[in-house]
Amino acid sequence: MDQAAVKLAPSILAADFARLGEQVAQAEQAGADRIHVDVMDGHFVPNLSMGAPIVASLRRVTRLPLEIHLMISNPDLFLDEFVEAGSDSFLVHWEANANLHRTVQRIKALGKRAGVAINPATPAAALEEILQDVDQVLVMTVNPGFGHQHFLPTTLPKVRRVRRMIEQARLGCEVEVDGGIDPETAPLTVAAGANVLVAGTAIFDGGEGVATAMNRLWASIRQGAGQLSGVFAKE
Ligand code: DX5
Ligand code: ZN
């Protein structure tokens, strides 16, 4: 498989919120591709997290794209607010939206990148009629709602299927994975076809510092690439 360099998207859900600006700056300096912001409503997922004011604060301290993962039941209601706060892209859940096509078109009309996220129990085939309209697909590798969960290995064949669908349709979508990504699981997802890796715990929670943690992830991917020919990691 021939794919571009693997990108890391640190998820601030696992950051120390008292030092958020500092930790995001460290991630930017260490080569993060974007910052992943997990928004939860206590309805679509059984947890609450953060809203647009956090995005507005982040916008003032980083030039990195801000990717908003909307784990909420009615994403359309909040798009304008998040755009105004400085968001660059949105990931909306297939399961949360009976009018996904309309939401994706709205995101694009707002001039932002659109992605669709699928839960572990949602098949890759659900993407068939929306793939040509999105810039990225997010394959959840845990059930959404919480950080610090264990990676579900049963999602790996799905990552492979999604990558194959994109190649067969000759599309340029990114394949992103989210949940339980660490130096052990990262190379597996890359080998399966992921090129954007979201990581919270593995980057912010290890006590070794953001840059060291990110370098450890990249090293694990490079090592995996050495063992699995044709898979490229960030140099
Ligand atoms: C889970 C979130 C993830 C989460 C990942 O619902 O979508 O982005 O922050 O965190 P870790 O890397 O701790 O699994
Ligand atoms: Zn997420």
Side-chain angles (χ1 to χ4, degrees):
M1 178 180 49
D2 186 19
Q3 66 177 70
V6 176
K7 300 166 181 171
L8 290 185
S11 161
I12 59 165
L13 193 63
D16 176 353
F17 274 58
R19 299 190 299 130
L20 188 56
E22 194 188 310
Q23 293 200 323
V24 165
Q26 286 165 1
E28 180 165 4
Q29 238 170 14
D33 183 73
R34 65 194 74 175
I35 297 296
H36 183 88
V37 180
D38 287 305
V39 178
M40 306 179 185
D41 66 353
H43 185 253
F44 175 64
V45 290
N47 198 8
L48 291 168
S49 63
M50 56 197 109
I54 297 273
V55 174
S57 297
L58 288 174
R59 188 69 294 158
R60 290 194 284 271
V61 299
T62 182
R63 289 206 190 94
L64 288 180
L66 300 174
E67 166 179 275
I68 317 303
H69 181 187
L70 292 174
M71 288 165 274
I72 63 178
S73 293
N74 202 335
D76 293 44
L77 282 184
F78 295 92
L79 292 176
D80 291 328
E81 197 181 321
F82 274 100
V83 167
E84 230 167 90
S87 307
D88 297 285
S89 60
F90 292 96
L91 295 159
V92 288
H93 269 265
W94 185 88
E95 303 82 4
N97 198 331
N99 295 288
L100 185 60
H101 184 268
R102 183 188 294 147
T103 303
V104 165
Q105 298 310 322
R106 271 207 64 208
I107 293 169
K108 288 167 130 188
L110 288 163
K112 304 302 168 190
R113 284 168 56 87
V116 60
I118 51 173
N119 282 346
T122 303
L127 300 168
E128 211 175 314
E129 305 302 331
I130 195 69
L131 209 48
Q132 64 272 24
D133 294 299
V134 294
D135 302 295
Q136 56 192 106
V137 171
L138 178 67
V139 177
M140 289 303 300
T141 43
V142 298
N143 286 295
F146 300 91
H148 314 280
Q149 298 185 80
H150 288 297
F151 179 84
L152 296 170
T154 49
T155 58
L156 280 173
K158 184 161 56 177
V159 175
R160 224 169 281 129
R161 276 196 288 277
V162 170
R163 173 57 71 190
R164 207 176 308 131
M165 284 166 78
I166 290 169
E167 277 173 5
Q168 277 169 358
R170 295 173 193 276
L171 299 168
C173 306
E174 293 182 319
V175 179
E176 188 169 14
V177 286
D178 184 5
I181 302 299
D182 61 21
E184 228 171 90
T185 57
L188 304 177
T189 64
V190 172
N195 72 308
V196 184
L197 276 50
V198 177
T201 304
I203 289 178
F204 291 112
D205 219 21
E208 58 187 350
V210 172
T212 307
M214 286 174 61
N215 285 330
R216 197 186 299 280
L217 276 172
W218 273 314
S220 76
I221 293 162
R222 267 199 299 273
Q223 209 177 346
Q227 285 155 10
L228 300 148
S229 62
V231 178
F232 298 100
K234 186 181 166 108
E235 290 303 322

